[in-house]
Amino acid sequence: DAGITQSPRHKVTETGTPVTLRCHQTENHRYMYWYRQDPGHGLRLIHYSYGVKDTDKGEVSDGYSVSRSKTEDFLLTLESATSSQTSVYFCAISESRLAGVDEQYFGPGTRLTVT
Amino acid sequence: GENVEQHPSTLSVQEGDSAVIKCTYSDSASNYFPWYKQELGKRPQLIIDIRSNVGEKKDQRIAVTLNKTAKHFSLHITETQPEDSAVYFCAGGGGTSYGKLTFGQGTILTVHP
């Protein structure tokens, strides 16, 4: 597996509380992504980053914010968690050198439950 | 943006049979089409990918075909084994969605011994 870690791996939180998930890579890859995985929906892109302090929205970005102050770290924040944000969250990285997109390597995932 | 549709959502085969999963995409500029396998409780892992300048690619028991005109691509698994049981995702990207992939909804493949 590529050098990607996610923390925490499991979290239970209450509605309305802020939550931050961390993705850390040791591969020095340029691109980093946050996805959520829900039954019947596959993997949906929340936000992604194409460099330090360069981020953009994905298809399900409402209620989420991100930050990338270092190449190796990409943080996902739920400002005020809701039950609809209960999901498994995957971080991914990519070098994206070839023709605009390349293989993405996934982290181990974070299971978040909002009660 | 890109839209990727995947079928079927579930597929059940007997060990030794072949399995085929199909995906369609909407953005004619997309040029990279990977397939990921995800075992229960694990992370998705790339099993094969194809770029738009290639029509077919094989790796042992798995193969992917791409029809750019029809905008669809397929995963073929031959001589299936119980350890092939997993969720399979197709994805498309590149072109106008620089750096991003759009994933299909996934196919749950079950191989019965």
Side-chain angles (χ1 to χ4, degrees), chain A:
Chain A
D1 292 328
I4 314 169
T5 57
Q6 292 183 230
S7 59
R9 295 291 315 279
H10 302 270
K11 187 170 182 66
V12 179
T13 192
E14 293 184 349
T15 298
T17 60
V19 176
T20 295
L21 308 183
R22 179 184 184 234
C23 178
H24 179 79
Q25 62 148 328
T26 58
E27 305 295 326
N28 200 37
H29 282 0
R30 177 185 175 191
Y31 282 78
M32 298 185 76
Y33 310 83
W34 277 108
Y35 292 92
R36 60 177 290 173
Q37 184 174 37
D38 305 289
H41 291 278
L43 292 152
R44 293 182 291 175
L45 183 65
I46 305 171
H47 282 280
Y48 71 107
S49 170
Y50 47 96
V52 173
K53 297 185 180 177
D54 291 323
T55 65
D56 204 352
K57 296 178 180 180
E59 62 180 298
V60 291
S61 60
D62 288 348
Y64 302 94
S65 62
V66 291
S67 66
R68 190 171 179 197
S69 58
K70 298 184 290 184
T71 298
E72 57 266 35
D73 290 325
F74 193 33
L75 304 180
L76 176 71
T77 297
L78 291 66
E79 302 291 348
S80 178
T82 67
S83 58
S84 65
Q85 294 176 312
T86 292
S87 187
V88 178
Y89 291 85
F90 284 100
C91 173
I93 64 174
S94 176
E95 188 56 43
S96 284
R97 295 164 294 177
L98 302 176
V101 67
D102 210 341
E103 176 180 357
Q104 292 185 12
Y105 303 90
F106 285 83
T110 294
R111 183 172 297 276
L112 176 67
T113 302
V114 183
T115 61

Side-chain angles (χ1 to χ4, degrees), chain B residues 15-93:
Chain B
E15 182 177 1
D17 289 349
S18 295
V20 180
I21 303 170
K22 299 181 179 182
C23 290
T24 60
Y25 62 98
S26 62
D27 187 352
S28 57
S30 289
N31 54 29
Y32 178 64
F33 305 95
W35 286 88
Y36 285 82
K37 176 184 180 182
Q38 185 179 28
E39 297 176 347
L40 189 63
K42 301 290 184 63
R43 73 188 79 188
Q45 294 199 301
L46 181 77
I47 55 171
I48 195 166
D49 57 10
I50 192 167
R51 295 195 181 271
S52 59
N53 58 348
V54 175
E56 183 176 5
K57 185 176 179 180
K58 290 182 179 180
D59 183 3
Q60 300 183 334
R61 295 186 298 108
I62 61 174
V64 57
T65 58
L66 172 64
N67 184 327
K68 289 172 54 181
T69 302
K71 290 191 283 188
H72 67 70
F73 55 111
S74 300
L75 177 71
H76 304 254
I77 306 174
T78 59
E79 301 173 18
T80 55
Q81 301 168 1
E83 51 264 39
D84 294 329
S85 296
V87 181
Y88 291 80
F89 293 99
C90 63

